[in-house]
């Protein structure tokens, strides 16, 4: 394992990282940090969201910057205000033990005077959105003649948001001999153009690693009719005690509507999207960070750069158009040593998207059943009973008055009393959830969505030890013209070998075809086997399985019922 120290960072920075609990550099950090420390070249670094890019550019700059509190030596440009604030906060943490370093955020939506004053007091690093930075340059408040390092963070996003002209103007003001670092999740054509235009002799690093937390995220989906999306969301939320997360929507309007409906149903939510004024956005983000609001209903753009570390759930009310955005979204949970759950609500027509996403993330999705009405109220009562069991003392009941009540109720036998008490307390919830429809949609049948029986199993002589994973297996199969699109059942990747289910009629052919293929230059040996594919049930590339899948959400008491308020719904107010 490489350490941050071996990468060449000084002891003050090391102490800061220690406090943050950063032990091992992420792959993009391991590559970018020594490069920025030593090389005279510019750098293009491509890595997904959540891979630790902020530290990758900040740490080596902090290691070299002259922290005099006066000379502006670095400018970091980022697409959104939220992200700029986040980068500033990260830099302050990294440089906690260097009191002389100053970093200043500038962004639109806040009074420019405040920012002008902050700049006049002097700073070493400016982090800002391109529009506002350009504005401050025009006003001659911000001068970039002493800049040594320029960072374009989330360059792809900045260009998508139409900041090209501002970037042109800003970069024109920086000295020729500056170094430019471009960080981006993707290398789009416009990013390549920016690189061509502004970077000299740049090296490129690209890390295909997953999000730092991606290993700890489990992916689930629910399948409902298009009209039942919202109702399903409610039931799913009711079923998740202590949910703290983001509900992603595709458009501003959708986010607004979902939020309004959630509020109307008494859930604790706020909307975050482009139509909301900056000032409110900041306030909402702040309350969300403090967990005063537990659900944020957001669009992709608005959620960019939100860095809340302990989201329990990311919920896709609607899938994003681009698969890549799914990774961005779900990268917001499972961070920082915690595990997270990504939930997606789809309609039967969207099953193919789930199969595609499985390939993109290299992990399987679990199909879950939307709880039935009865499940919902039983779960809520169950949570309450657990609270009663664990609550040791009665609070706030005047002793004498309490005795009187006990006296009065003593005529009713204990069993009756419990029944009355529970039905009284939950009558509304029971009423709301009784006789409600089962929201689970049928799988789409028909030729295109044939279900994989997976009743024959094929074994190949490559497994985890050889670097094979689900994504790799699909890659392998799709690399063959004759196998492309073939459906696969349960997959069991073992250290030495992999076993997966296929349709009986095709098994012979698939075996034959696989034996013609190579994996990483070595011949594949495929056989038909009786061995079990193991406990993990995979849904089939296109079909959406049923078989051994867990059909119900886990019942019973949740350990997470830490709250002490016998609230109706934990995620509700
Ligand atoms: P990106 O900019 O690539 O989306 P960030 O820089 O925002 O990613 O980092 C994602 C999360 O991972 C942050 O919460 C950050 O604190 C954390 N993180 C970054 N580097 C490390 C590391 N080396 N060890 C542990 N956590 C890290
Ligand atoms: Mg980032």
């Amino acid at each position: 394992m490489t350490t941050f120290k071996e990468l060449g960072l000084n002891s003050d920075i090391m102490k800061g990282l220690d406090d943050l609990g950063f032990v091992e550099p992420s792959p993009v950090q391991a590559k970018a940090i020594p490069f920025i420390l030593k090389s005279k070249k510019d750098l293009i670094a491509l890595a997904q969201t959540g891979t630790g890019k902020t530290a990758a550019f900040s740490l080596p700059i902090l290691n070299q910057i002259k922290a005099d509190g006066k000379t502006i030596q670095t400018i970091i440009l980022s697409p959104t205000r939220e992200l700029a604030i986040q980068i500033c906060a990260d830099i302050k943490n990294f440089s906690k033990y260097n009191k002389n370093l100053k970093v200043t955020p500038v962004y639109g939506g806040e009074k420019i005077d405040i920012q002008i004053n902050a700049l006049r007091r002097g700073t070493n690093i400016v982090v800002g959105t391109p529009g506002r930075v350009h504005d401050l340059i025009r006003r001659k408040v911000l001068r970039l003649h002493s800049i040594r390092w320029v960072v374009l963070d989330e360059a792809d996003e900045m260009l998508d948001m139409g900041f090209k002209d501002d970037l042109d103007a800003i970069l024109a003001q920086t000295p020729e001999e500056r170094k430019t670092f471009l960080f981006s999740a993707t290398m789009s054509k416009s990013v390549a153009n920016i690189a061509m235009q502004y970077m000299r002799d740049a090296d490129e690093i690209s890390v295909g690693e997953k999000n730092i937390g991606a290993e700890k995220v489990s992916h689930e989906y629910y399948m409902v009719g298009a009209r039942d999306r919202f109702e399903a969301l409610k039931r799913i939320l009711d079923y998740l005690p202590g949910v703290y997360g983001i509900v992603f929507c595709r458009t501003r309007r959708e986010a607004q509507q979902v939020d309004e409906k959630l509020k109307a149903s008494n859930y604790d939510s706020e909307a975050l999207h482009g139509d909301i004024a900056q000032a409110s956005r900041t306030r909402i983000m702040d309350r969300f960070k403090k967990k005063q609001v537990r659900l944020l209903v957001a669009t992709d753009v608005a959620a960019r750069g939100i860095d809340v570390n302990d989201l329990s759930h990311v919920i896709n009310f609607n899938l994003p158009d681009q698969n890549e955005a799914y990774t961005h979204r779900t990268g917001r949970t499972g961070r920082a040593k915690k595990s997270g759950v990504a939930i997606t609500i789809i309609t039967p027509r969207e099953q193919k998207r789930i199969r595609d996403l499985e390939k993109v993330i290299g992990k399987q999705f679990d199909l879950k059943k939307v709880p039935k009405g009865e499940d919902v109220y039983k779960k809520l009562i169950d949570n309450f009973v657990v609270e009663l069991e664990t609550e040791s003392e009665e609070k706030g009941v005047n002793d004498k008055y309490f005795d009187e009540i006990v006296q009065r109720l003593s005529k009713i036998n204990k069993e009756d009393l419990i029944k009355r008490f529970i039905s009284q307390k939950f009558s509304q919830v029971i009423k709301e959830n009784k006789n409600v429809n089962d929201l689970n949609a049928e799988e789409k049948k028909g030729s295109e969505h044939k279900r994989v029986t997976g009743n024959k199993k094929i074994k190949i002589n490559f497994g985890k030890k050889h670097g094979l994973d689900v994504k790799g297996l699909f890659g392998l199969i799709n690399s063959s013209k004759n196998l492309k699109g073939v459906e696969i059942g349960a997959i069991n990747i073992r250290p030495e070998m992999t076993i997966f289910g296929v349709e009986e009629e095709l098994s012979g052919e698939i075996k034959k075809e696989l034996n013609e293929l190579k994996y990483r230059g070595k011949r594949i040996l495929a056989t038909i086997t009786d061995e079990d594919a193991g406990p993990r049930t995979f849904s089939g590339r296109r079909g959406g399985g049923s078989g051994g899948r867990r059909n119900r959400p886990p019942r019973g008491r949740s350990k997470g019922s830490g709250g002490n308020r016998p609230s109706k719904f934990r995620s509700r107010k």
Side-chain angles (χ1 to χ4, degrees), residues 49-50 53-54 57 83 87 153-154:
T49 302
K53 293 193 287 295
T54 314
F57 59 74
L83 193 55
I87 294 170
D153 191 25
E154 311 236 13

Side-chain angles (χ1 to χ4, degrees), residues 451-460 473 477 486-492 498-512 514 526-534 536 538 540:
R451 204 168 71 208
V452 174
T453 46
N455 50 3
K456 271 281 172 204
K457 308 226 160 59
I458 287 193
K459 178 162 98 180
I460 60 169
L473 182 65
I477 285 166
V486 116
E487 304 202 15
I488 291 180
I491 299 174
N492 181 9
T498 296
I499 298 170
F500 53 91
V502 293
E503 265 178 300
E504 186 157 23
E505 303 135 58
L506 297 176
S507 56
E509 260 177 80
I510 295 174
K511 183 192 99 173
K512 208 172 120 212
L514 279 168
T527 48
I528 294 181
T529 173
D530 289 330
E531 285 188 63
D532 193 17
R536 290 177 82 195
F538 184 64

Side-chain angles (χ1 to χ4, degrees), residues 168-179:
D168 286 344
I170 296 164
L171 288 162
Q173 298 291 317
T174 57
E176 270 286 297
E177 61 282 4
R178 59 149 207 267
K179 283 208 268 175

Side-chain angles (χ1 to χ4, degrees), residues 61-72:
I61 292 176
L62 287 171
N63 207 73
Q64 303 174 72
I65 204 165
K66 195 169 143 233
D68 62 2
K70 291 196 295 258
T71 330
I72 303 180

